[in-house]
Amino acid sequence: AVVGLVFAATTTATPLLAGFTGFVSAQTTDPVAKATSEMLGSYSVRFTILGVAMMLTSIFLMAGAVGLVQLRAWGRPCLLSWAVAKILVASWEITIAVMFHFDQMALLKEVVQTAPTGGIAGVGHANLVYVGFNLVFKWSWPVFLIIWLHRPRVRAEMEGWRR
């Protein structure tokens, strides 16, 4: 949960990076830097909202973990809610990352006309590996938790805990 808060904070701070990149690219005549800065700026609102969503899900996870450690019955529904929210936020995060990647590839093809197409196509295939890895990595713990907390023995144990 703490690591999630750190990642959420850095994602929320991405618009600051976009502003800094815009400042730096304004000082250069490099067309790639200018175009990259404009593209990054167009994603700043999405990154900010995503960062806030990630931070809220991390707080929810910490609250649910406290409920479990203190043997409170409200810990289970809290963690189940977190798991569903985490799957949704992770799906949204991966969608934004894929959109960003394809925009970067389109920008590269547009600005750098001399780039070899084989290299760009290879990066596109690497994106599929990235999406697959992230889906497995970001969904594994929430899916495991949903399955575990729905086991009859675990549910019965937790329902006996005090509220």
Side-chain angles (χ1 to χ4, degrees), residues 2-134:
V2 173
V3 172
L5 284 173
V6 170
F7 282 122
T10 57
T11 303
T12 306
T14 300
L16 299 174
L17 176 64
F20 178 72
T21 321
F23 172 76
V24 170
S25 69
Q27 307 299 321
T28 184
T29 58
D30 181 16
V32 176
K34 287 187 182 296
T36 301
S37 175
E38 290 172 9
M39 188 194 65
L40 186 58
S42 72
Y43 277 86
S44 63
V45 172
R46 291 177 225 171
F47 284 143
T48 302
I49 294 170
L50 177 63
V52 169
M54 290 168 66
M55 197 169 299
L56 291 174
T57 56
S58 294
I59 291 169
F60 224 103
L61 174 61
M62 287 182 10
V66 167
L68 285 185
V69 169
Q70 293 181 350
L71 302 178
R72 304 290 181 165
W74 54 263
R76 181 180 174 275
C78 187
L79 285 177
L80 287 171
S81 299
W82 167 81
V84 171
K86 175 64 178 176
I87 289 170
L88 293 174
V89 170
S91 301
W92 184 29
E93 177 186 358
I94 291 168
T95 301
I96 289 173
V98 169
M99 289 172 30
F100 187 77
H101 173 79
F102 284 127
D103 284 350
Q104 276 184 317
M105 291 296 99
L107 178 71
L108 183 63
K109 285 180 183 177
E110 179 183 316
V111 175
V112 184
Q113 305 259 334
T114 60
T117 56
I120 294 173
V123 172
H125 294 297
N127 187 44
L128 295 176
V129 173
Y130 165 80
V131 168
F133 176 76
N134 267 321

